[in-house]
Amino acid sequence: MKTNLLGQTLIHLQALCAEEGFPRFTAKQLCDWLYKKRVDSIDAMTNLSLAQRARLNEIAYIGRETPVRCQVSKDGTKKYLFPVPDSHFIETVFIPEAERATLCVSCQVGCKMGCLFCVTGRQGFHGNLSAGDILNQLFSIPEFESLTNVVFMGMGEPMDNIDAVLSATQVLTSDWGLGWSPKRITVSTVGIVPGLKRFLDESQCHLAVSLHNPVAAERLQVMPVQKAYPLDEVLALLREYDWSGQRRLSFEYTMFRGINDDLAHAAKLVEALKGLDCRVNLIRFHESPEAPFRTPVPSAIQAFQNHLNRNGIVCTLRASRGQDIEAACGLLAGKE
Ligand code: SF4
């Protein structure tokens, strides 16, 4: 099977060069072509010898795929559909704002986590994306040059595909790669503890934890992951790290009417997050025909937000983008 060069780290490429008997510096040249010049063919790597290029064409390829569809929301949000191996599709959302342009990438085809409120979760799991498949979502859209931020909040659970996610973030942040500051990248998780621990130890990117309910028994009803990795365990792990510096910790809290949107829940959330340097992003649940939940009333959201702010937790209501094209949180399905 041929190797996808896109997504390979410098160390991976050095190993490949050693195996092929290429000089060690060829790995650095490959990085330049892949990540600085972002070529999409091995033949374009003109400072490699013809023999090297011929050999690379035999054993490797550059996994660049252009999106097969782009839907544009009335608010300017764009949803791209990309083909990935095994005849599947994934979705990527481009969110332009006044001061920034964020890309929300997928890391798996579907998802195993089965969160009750999520369209992706209801699709089941069809496989992991490679680091190359993840990076292709950035490299193969026309807005690449304008991107200021990347969030791993599309289809899939990043900590359940941690090797690929760490390789992709390494490419994005290393000087041999794109050289981005890790502050431009946020990775989300429902709290898969082993993957999360590796992420905390091996990356400096921001973290967003999907919390959604501070009451364990209630959280379990909508997020099956709570059984294997209870929120208490996740919070205990997070408390072992220092969040007072550049690296940011945030909690995502999707609000469902009559379920987790009252002040009792707000108080329990404050209690659960005590002592953690963090912020909370409230997300208004987007009603969909299949999900048994409703959107909270605006006054409940406001009261909840005020309660957190009064108790010293920076809390914002995330603006909903791209709802008309099903690009909003929890609505990605990857359907052709
Ligand atoms: Fe998976 Fe995230 Fe959807 Fe949960 S919310 S099922 S982790 S994609």
Side-chain angles (χ1 to χ4, degrees), residues 11-269:
I11 288 181
H12 292 145
L13 292 170
Q14 281 167 342
L16 182 138
C17 289
E19 239 169 67
E20 293 301 321
F22 295 166
R24 195 174 157 82
F25 65 80
T26 306
K28 188 72 194 349
Q29 290 175 310
L30 285 169
C31 285
D32 281 349
W33 288 113
L34 290 166
Y35 305 129
K36 304 235 187 280
K37 303 191 180 80
R38 293 188 305 283
V39 297
D40 57 11
S41 95
I42 290 168
D43 294 324
M45 301 179 169
T46 48
N47 61 358
L48 267 56
S49 71
L50 283 175
Q52 281 178 325
R53 277 181 263 166
R55 178 60 188 153
L56 280 174
N57 272 314
E58 279 169 24
I59 59 162
Y61 66 103
I62 302 176
R64 290 284 290 271
E65 289 281 355
T66 47
V68 291
R69 191 179 69 198
C70 173
Q71 289 170 273
V72 185
S73 159
K74 53 182 190 282
D75 68 17
T77 301
K78 291 183 182 174
K79 183 168 77 168
Y80 287 103
L81 187 73
F82 283 98
V84 287
D86 297 327
S87 315
H88 290 299
F89 293 89
I90 50 143
E91 289 177 330
T92 307
V93 182
F94 173 71
I95 309 152
E97 288 167 285
E99 310 264 297
R100 48 199 254 161
T102 304
L103 195 69
C104 177
V105 297
S106 293
C107 65
Q108 292 181 317
V109 186
C111 186
K112 288 180 207 158
M113 298 302 130
C115 303
L116 225 64
F117 47 84
C118 171
V119 174
T120 308
R122 282 197 291 276
Q123 306 280 312
F125 175 72
H126 303 286
N128 278 326
L129 296 188
S130 66
D133 298 329
I134 295 172
L135 291 169
N136 180 60
Q137 297 168 62
L138 284 83
F139 286 22
S140 294
I141 58 166
E143 296 84 4
F144 173 79
E145 296 291 352
S146 72
L147 291 178
T148 59
N149 296 78
V150 168
V151 296
F152 286 68
M153 295 185 180
M155 299 166 70
E157 161 56 42
M159 306 308 167
D160 188 42
N161 186 16
I162 189 65
D163 285 327
V165 168
L166 285 174
S167 292
T169 54
Q170 223 185 312
V171 169
L172 289 172
T173 57
S174 298
D175 52 2
W176 48 260
L178 273 69
W180 281 23
S181 157
K183 287 187 287 183
R184 294 169 67 180
I185 302 162
T186 302
V187 179
S188 76
T189 183
V190 289
I192 306 282
V193 168
L196 176 57
K197 177 138 187 39
R198 279 195 56 201
F199 173 78
L200 293 169
D201 291 336
E202 296 174 37
S203 155
Q204 279 306 312
C205 298
H206 294 325
L207 177 70
V209 177
S210 301
L211 195 152
H212 307 317
N213 201 317
V215 182
E218 294 178 20
R219 189 171 189 258
L220 180 61
Q221 282 179 13
V222 288
M223 299 175 72
V225 69
Q226 171 72 19
K227 195 168 173 19
Y229 301 110
L231 181 62
D232 282 352
E233 201 182 311
V234 176
L235 295 174
L237 174 65
L238 296 174
R239 286 199 165 85
E240 292 173 19
Y241 293 78
D242 176 18
W243 298 99
S244 62
Q246 299 274 330
R247 186 179 217 184
R248 198 166 64 210
L249 171 62
S250 56
F251 290 92
E252 307 292 302
Y253 194 95
T254 304
M255 300 187 75
F256 306 100
R257 189 190 302 183
I259 292 181
N260 66 350
D261 63 345
D262 57 2
L263 288 181
H265 282 83
K268 288 194 174 112
L269 184 58

